[in-house]
């Protein structure tokens, strides 16, 4: 089963959106297999956003992402990488469809409340930054057969 890395960013935590965001992924039918509440170190932030080093927004992005606690999560499910990106909406909340998480709750590209891996390879790389293999929990959900064939 596919896995992705989702993270409620410091603005999502500060704005009291943890429950609302987690609820969307639960109700969709995805399964939570790992979760931590933590504050990123500068080193973790730079590792996470390594592909953006050198871009004009990079210093501000690192400051933002270490400015408060985040909720780091691993979610599992059918096509969870691409489907969760659709549920999040466009990177710039001003362009995100109204029903998406960013479209519903955010207005600024620098405060877009949630991160989600953009490919299975990114998911694997990002999950390894936040979780040891033993911290991801395999569990059977009795209603799985009602969610996917
Ligand atoms: P994504 O988070 O939708 O995958 P990326 O292009 O990978 O989008 O950018 C990573 C994060 O960097 C964004 O979610 C956003 O927080 C921040 N970011 C991207 N572009 C800008 C920008 O132009 N100004 C400020 N922040 C930006």
């Amino acid at each position: 089963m596919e896995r992705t890395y989702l993270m409620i960013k410091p603005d999502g935590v500060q704005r009291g959106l943890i429950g609302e965001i987690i609820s969307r992924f639960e109700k969709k039918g995805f399964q939570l297999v790992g979760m931590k509440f933590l504050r990123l170190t500068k080193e973790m932030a730079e590792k996470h956003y390594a592909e953006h080093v050198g871009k004009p927004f990079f210093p501000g992005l690192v400051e933002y992402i270490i400015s408060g606690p985040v909720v780091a999560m691993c979610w599992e499910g059918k096509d969870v990488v691409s489907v969760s990106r659709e549920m999040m909406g466009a990177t710039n909340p001003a362009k995100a469809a109204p029903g998406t998480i960013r479209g519903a709750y955010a207005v600024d590209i620098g405060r877009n409340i949630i991160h989600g891996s953009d490919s299975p390879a990114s998911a694997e790389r990002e999950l390894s930054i936040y979780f040891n293999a033993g911290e991801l929990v395999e569990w059977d959900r009795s209603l799985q057969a009602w969610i996917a064939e």
Side-chain angles (χ1 to χ4, degrees), residues 9 49 51-52 55 57 61 64-65 85 88-92 102 108-112 114-118:
K9 295 177 173 181
Y49 284 121
E51 68 173 298
H52 298 300
K55 293 184 183 165
F57 62 83
L61 174 59
Y64 156 56
I65 217 70
R85 293 277 296 187
M88 287 162 47
T91 304
N92 185 348
R102 288 164 170 167
D108 189 308
I109 193 167
R111 297 288 183 269
N112 62 2
I114 183 165
H115 166 82
S117 308
D118 62 6

Side-chain angles (χ1 to χ4, degrees), residues 38-60:
L38 76 159
R39 191 161 177 160
L40 273 66
T41 62
K42 195 154 186 277
E43 291 66 37
M44 287 171 87
E46 286 169 351
K47 198 167 174 189
H48 180 124
Y49 284 121
E51 68 173 298
H52 298 300
V53 171
K55 293 184 183 165
F57 62 83
F58 183 73

Side-chain angles (χ1 to χ4, degrees), residues 3-136:
R3 288 180 170 178
T4 195
Y5 177 67
L6 298 179
M7 181 168 76
I8 303 173
K9 295 177 173 181
D11 46 339
V13 172
Q14 295 284 348
R15 293 181 51 203
L17 294 171
I18 296 173
E20 175 64 36
I21 292 172
I22 289 178
S23 182
R24 286 191 177 214
F25 293 102
E26 276 192 309
K27 288 177 187 162
K28 178 71 175 171
F30 293 135
Q31 188 171 347
L32 185 64
V33 294
M35 179 158 71
K36 282 182 187 178
F37 187 64
L38 76 159
R39 191 161 177 160
L40 273 66
T41 62
K42 195 154 186 277
E43 291 66 37
M44 287 171 87
E46 286 169 351
K47 198 167 174 189
H48 180 124
Y49 284 121
E51 68 173 298
H52 298 300
V53 171
K55 293 184 183 165
F57 62 83
F58 183 73
L61 174 59
V62 170
E63 284 308 306
Y64 156 56
I65 217 70
I66 67 172
S67 65
V70 302
V71 180
M73 298 174 287
C74 177
W75 285 83
E76 191 175 87
K78 189 170 191 292
D79 299 321
V80 67
V81 172
S82 59
V83 174
S84 58
R85 293 277 296 187
E86 290 293 321
M87 290 169 67
M88 287 162 47
T91 304
N92 185 348
K95 304 230 168 70
T100 62
I101 293 167
R102 288 164 170 167
Y105 303 121
V107 295
D108 189 308
I109 193 167
R111 297 288 183 269
N112 62 2
I113 70 172
I114 183 165
H115 166 82
S117 308
D118 62 6
S119 68
S122 300
E124 202 172 314
R125 186 189 78 82
E126 292 166 5
L127 284 168
S128 74
I129 299 174
Y130 297 88
F131 297 98
N132 298 322
E135 291 174 328
L136 298 178

